[in-house]
Amino acid sequence: PAGAVGPVGVTPPRMPPGPPETFLPADPRPAPPSLRPPQPTHAPLPPPPGRAPVADPLAATHAAIFEAANSGRHSEAASMAAAWEQEALRTAGPRSDEAIHWLEVRADLSRIAGDPARACELWLAVAEARLGNGEPVGHPEVEGAVDRAHHQWQFVADRARAGALAPPLIELRSRVPGRKPGALEAVRRRAELLRAPARTR
């Protein structure tokens, strides 16, 4: 039921330190409890959407999802998040707070799973959805989504994949420059390097 998902409107988790380049978003904020990787818990696995809800189903859902992800069961975690996202899409619509929240969860799961390209794509989708909802370019949630897309893009080692992600990231960075000077220039600089022929020894 829709109440089991509930509007969330939370700040996504803090990003890992040490990107391969110099960009990091300004003033990273601590993650809220609902999106922090949970401490070991014996909370029961929540029922899938549409079943009888458990007490505080959202907290139990997040606990189960991130427990699976941090235990290396990435497909299981992604499947659970996708099921809840589909429920949010069905009951609240694609631009709802609920649907955007589950996009954020999926983006963070991609980061945990070591798929920065997918994480970048999902954070770009989060930013576009928030902008499409009329959130201003300086809103912390919008800036945070673009910052995280940029951060994850820096980890994409596959040149073709990184190159394909560069144009939408540059377009978003042009609209949402963020609070750290030089972010747009950093994306453009790396995009230019990606377009150059790869060096061979």
Side-chain angles (χ1 to χ4, degrees):
V5 180
V8 196
V10 296
T11 301
R14 184 192 299 271
M15 290 172 295
E21 297 180 13
T22 58
F23 176 76
L24 268 176
D27 305 324
R29 297 169 293 279
S34 65
L35 274 182
R36 286 189 191 124
Q39 298 302 312
T41 177
H42 298 290
L45 191 68
R51 303 282 178 84
V54 295
D56 197 0
L58 188 61
T61 297
H62 282 98
I65 288 171
F66 281 100
E67 183 177 7
N70 289 311
S71 298
R73 304 194 311 276
H74 301 298
S75 295
E76 179 184 335
S79 295
M80 285 192 285
W84 283 92
E85 182 184 23
Q86 288 304 309
E87 179 72 359
L89 291 170
R90 185 181 67 80
T91 59
R95 289 286 177 83
S96 64
D97 287 345
E98 296 94 329
I100 292 172
H101 169 72
W102 288 108
L103 264 180
E104 293 171 337
V105 171
R106 289 175 54 218
D108 200 46
L109 291 176
S110 295
R111 176 187 64 79
I112 294 170
D115 188 350
R118 185 62 179 147
C120 176
E121 288 173 350
L122 290 167
W123 283 122
L124 290 173
V126 169
E128 291 288 4
R130 289 190 176 281
L131 289 168
N133 278 350
E135 293 183 26
V137 295
H139 191 287
E141 301 282 6
V142 175
E143 286 187 340
V146 180
D147 285 352
R148 287 170 173 84
H150 184 169
H151 180 79
Q152 289 298 308
W153 179 70
Q154 293 175 139
F155 287 97
V156 180
D158 182 272
R159 291 173 63 91
R161 192 90 185 270
L165 287 167
L169 181 58
I170 289 171
E171 195 275 330
L172 259 179
R173 263 293 173 222
S174 299
R175 286 187 283 159
V176 186
R179 288 172 285 169
K180 181 168 182 177
L184 176 59
E185 289 73 18
V187 180
R188 286 177 169 157
R189 189 164 54 249
R190 185 180 183 217
E192 194 66 37
L193 291 172
L194 289 167
R195 283 193 291 270
R199 292 180 181 177
T200 55
R201 297 191 177 200

